[in-house]
Amino acid sequence: MDRTAETRTGASLWKESFYAAFPRTLPILPSLIALAVTYGVLMTASGFGWIWTVLMSAVAFCGTAQFAAIPLMLGGFAPVQGFILSFLINSRHLFYGIPLLDTFKKAGKLRPFMIFALNDEAFAISCSTEPDPRISRVHYHFWVTMLTYTGWVGGTMLGAAAGRLITGNVAGLDFAMTALFIVMFLEQIRKKEKIKFAGIGLCCSIVALLIVGSAAYMIPAMAIMVVCLLGGRGRKWI
Amino acid sequence: MDLTPVELLIFVLAIAAGAFLSRVLPFVLFRGDKPLPSGILYLGGALPPAMMALLVVDGFKSVSLLQYPYALPEMLSAGVVIALHLYKKNALLSIFGGTAVYMIALRFIFV
């Protein structure tokens, strides 16, 4: 008897939190999936097999850094550079953990997945909405994360499948990547206090490119960027 | 481009490891009542805009200002992306609009 009651509570816990999370996540899914499709198309158009494309989305699950890794992977074997690039692009995640520490403490078996698949959308939805207090916050956050993860990996599969059908002249399609970065850049500098950081990044990147040349400038650019950012900390020079 | 499957696998795992480190670090560093080091938090806010600038620069790294077409297709398309994004604020529209202009420019304008 007891056992049945317990199972039923467990099942409804999952179900109710799903019904709470789904409508909250739905509005952001189309653009997330469209971006994932774009990634799948670009990867396959760049000559990578669909297995690698989907694998990347499944194990890295980090939008921008995945796009940034495409030209890097086309340039040759540079995993250390890839690791550093990915960590620095994803450094915004450092913020996300703190407000979620409490929720995650109670997550038990779900915790590793929730940390592994932590993302902008899940963070924003989870922190900006207050679900019904009767619904488990842990399960709510889990479902938001799971839905965004499924959307991203599923969208990548679609894109990789579509990419294989594209056989015509795709010259210039890779500009989508630059366009994406320009958009992200514009989004970043909408906050006034971020313009200084963007300016430092721009100067460091151009200086490194001019001195080192396009083949190996990225690590030097990131290194002087970190030094300049730390050096400029707290100073008001713009 | 010609990476072996093993090299590709290592590459993919390296990208994944970098992303995972950024996600797991607060949970590892934050123990008890000790707050996250302020330097780490500062970089977490300062690096994304700076890195985005690097990625934009990276998109233009192989463009030559001295040879025909003097970076004009890239400038034109980047302008379209920026204009679309400032007016419509729709990321997908800006990306696809700019890319379409670029592909058209390569084929019909700057041949």
Side-chain angles (χ1 to χ4, degrees):
Chain A
M1 262 294 251
D2 275 7
R3 219 175 156 174
T4 327
E6 205 172 65
T7 324
R8 193 176 294 149
T9 327
S12 68
L13 192 71
W14 286 96
K15 216 167 144 185
E16 279 167 20
S17 54
F18 178 80
Y19 286 136
F22 189 67
R24 296 284 191 187
T25 316
L26 199 59
I28 59 106
L29 281 181
S31 60
L32 183 101
I33 293 171
L35 205 60
V37 171
T38 311
Y39 177 71
V41 170
L42 274 178
M43 274 290 278
T44 39
S46 305
F48 296 101
W50 70 271
I51 293 182
W52 296 109
T53 310
V54 176
L55 184 73
M56 179 67 105
S57 278
V59 301
F61 185 48
C62 55
T64 317
Q66 286 181 225
F67 282 97
I70 297 178
L72 197 62
M73 293 198 298
L74 288 173
F77 188 55
V80 175
Q81 202 171 336
F83 173 78
I84 297 172
L85 184 77
S86 168
F87 176 69
L88 293 184
I89 294 173
N90 286 306
S91 58
R92 65 187 187 287
H93 289 138
L94 293 170
F95 279 113
Y96 297 171
I98 298 156
L100 296 170
L101 280 169
D102 275 347
T103 310
F104 278 42
K105 247 179 218 163
K106 302 169 207 142
K109 277 184 197 163
L110 300 176
R111 195 167 180 260
F113 174 75
M114 281 159 65
I115 293 178
F116 157 75
L118 191 65
N119 65 83
D120 304 314
E121 287 78 11
F123 173 76
I125 294 168
S126 197
C127 289
S128 63
T129 55
E130 204 57 57
D132 191 317
R134 282 168 301 174
I135 286 160
S136 150
R137 258 210 105 77
V138 169
H139 291 81
Y140 177 75
H141 185 91
F142 168 80
W143 278 123
V144 176
T145 310
M146 188 44 116
L147 285 166
T148 46
Y149 183 78
T150 311
W152 183 254
V153 178
T156 306
M157 279 181 194
L158 274 178
R164 285 154 63 92
L165 302 176
I166 301 172
T167 47
N169 179 359
V170 290
L173 184 67
D174 54 345
F175 189 80
M177 223 139 48
T178 307
L180 169 78
F181 297 142
I182 293 173
V183 166
M184 307 286 259
F185 181 78
L186 292 175
E187 291 290 327
Q188 287 285 343
I189 59 173
R190 266 161 71 176
K191 283 185 192 148
K192 234 181 180 176
E193 70 270 19
K194 302 266 182 182
I195 295 177
K196 182 173 92 175
F197 304 140
I200 292 175
L202 198 61
C203 295
C204 293
S205 308
I206 293 173
V207 167
L209 179 61
L210 292 177
I211 295 176
V212 187
S214 67
Y217 78 104
M218 265 211 165
I219 289 198
M222 293 186 278
I224 50 175
M225 201 184 283
V226 171
V227 171
C228 290
L229 287 172
L230 286 173
R233 193 178 166 197
R235 273 182 221 175
K236 286 186 183 164
W237 23 308
I238 299 172
Chain B
M1 159 70 212
D2 293 300
L3 298 173
T4 65
V6 175
E7 284 177 334
L8 251 177
L9 184 65
I10 295 172
F11 221 137
V12 169
L13 292 178
I15 307 286
F20 184 68
L21 182 66
S22 73
R23 287 169 166 132
V24 81
L25 212 53
F27 297 94
V28 176
L29 288 180
F30 194 98
R31 291 208 186 282
D33 41 50
K34 216 175 90 195
L36 212 59
S38 68
I40 300 240
L41 273 187
Y42 166 77
L43 283 179
L47 274 171
M51 286 301 290
M52 243 25 98
L54 171 63
L55 294 176
V56 172
V57 170
D58 198 54
F60 293 91
K61 70 175 173 197
S62 43
V63 176
S64 171
L65 287 169
L66 304 173
Q67 280 173 342
Y68 182 82
Y70 313 105
L72 287 174
E74 287 79 11
M75 304 265 205
L76 171 74
S77 316
V80 170
V81 175
I82 294 170
L84 273 175
H85 202 65
L86 293 182
Y87 285 114
K88 293 281 179 188
K89 290 205 188 340
N90 178 335
L92 288 171
L93 178 72
S94 318
I95 294 167
F96 291 129
T99 308
V101 168
Y102 186 68
M103 293 178 81
I104 292 166
L106 281 191
R107 283 165 181 73
F108 302 108
I109 308 174
F110 305 97
V111 248

